[in-house]
Amino acid sequence: MDGLNSGNSERILVVDDDPGIRRTLQALLSRAGYRVTQARDGTEAVRLWREQGGDLVITDLHMPEKDGIQTIIELLSHSPGARIIAMSGGGQTKRLDLLGNASLLGAVLTIEKPFTISEMMTLVGRALRGAHS
């Protein structure tokens, strides 16, 4: 962290196998001035993070091939202290407490789908300021 933030020029990697969610978050975050990159799964996310880095990762937990927990573990092994928001649709996730596990694994903050624009933007701001939940 170099501490030099020129407005909202932070780079955010959005990881979700649902193209609608990726597009929605891209539009929302871009409008707020963030530079957004999308990945359709954890494998692509880890590759992009290694190539480009960034300031924040927003990842779904339920994805084919490499799920969000595996993705978080790999991202943190490559970049300890990476800022991550883990999101999940709840339901059976509640039973497994995957969002709680994501926090233990180093995800800065967690959010449950469906979320409001306001909730996500508040979380993004908190994550980029380094506030832990």
Side-chain angles (χ1 to χ4, degrees), residues 19 48 56 60 75 83 93-94 119 133:
L48 287 169
L56 175 66
D60 189 21
L75 290 170
R83 296 172 180 178
T93 302
K94 278 228 193 278
E119 287 170 335
S133 56

Side-chain angles (χ1 to χ4, degrees), residues 4-127:
L4 301 175
N5 289 338
S6 49
N8 279 344
S9 61
E10 290 98 345
R11 294 176 299 150
I12 300 175
L13 175 59
V14 174
V15 190
D16 200 305
D17 58 316
D18 181 330
I21 291 174
R22 287 196 315 268
R23 278 194 305 269
T24 300
L25 286 173
Q26 164 113 37
L28 172 69
L29 295 166
S30 295
R31 228 175 297 135
Y34 298 106
R35 291 180 289 155
V36 182
T37 305
Q38 297 182 36
R40 67 184 166 274
D41 59 38
T43 303
E44 184 179 23
V46 170
R47 180 182 57 77
L48 287 169
W49 187 260
R50 286 185 173 155
E51 290 172 2
Q52 305 171 10
D55 298 296
L56 175 66
V57 177
I58 301 173
T59 184
D60 189 21
L61 289 179
H62 291 289
M63 296 180 289
E65 293 190 38
K66 187 185 306 247
D67 68 20
I69 297 291
Q70 292 171 302
T71 302
I72 290 168
I73 290 169
E74 281 194 44
L75 290 170
L76 290 172
S77 70
H78 181 266
S79 303
R83 296 172 180 178
I84 300 170
I85 294 175
M87 54 185 177
S88 178
Q92 71 188 109
T93 302
K94 278 228 193 278
R95 211 176 34 189
L96 298 173
D97 197 51
L98 285 180
L99 288 177
N101 289 339
S103 271
L104 291 174
L105 291 169
V108 173
L109 298 165
T110 57
I111 191 167
E112 201 170 301
K113 295 175 186 173
F115 46 80
T116 66
I117 290 172
S118 173
E119 287 170 335
M120 179 55 82
M121 294 311 292
T122 297
L123 227 51
V124 166
R126 284 177 59 198

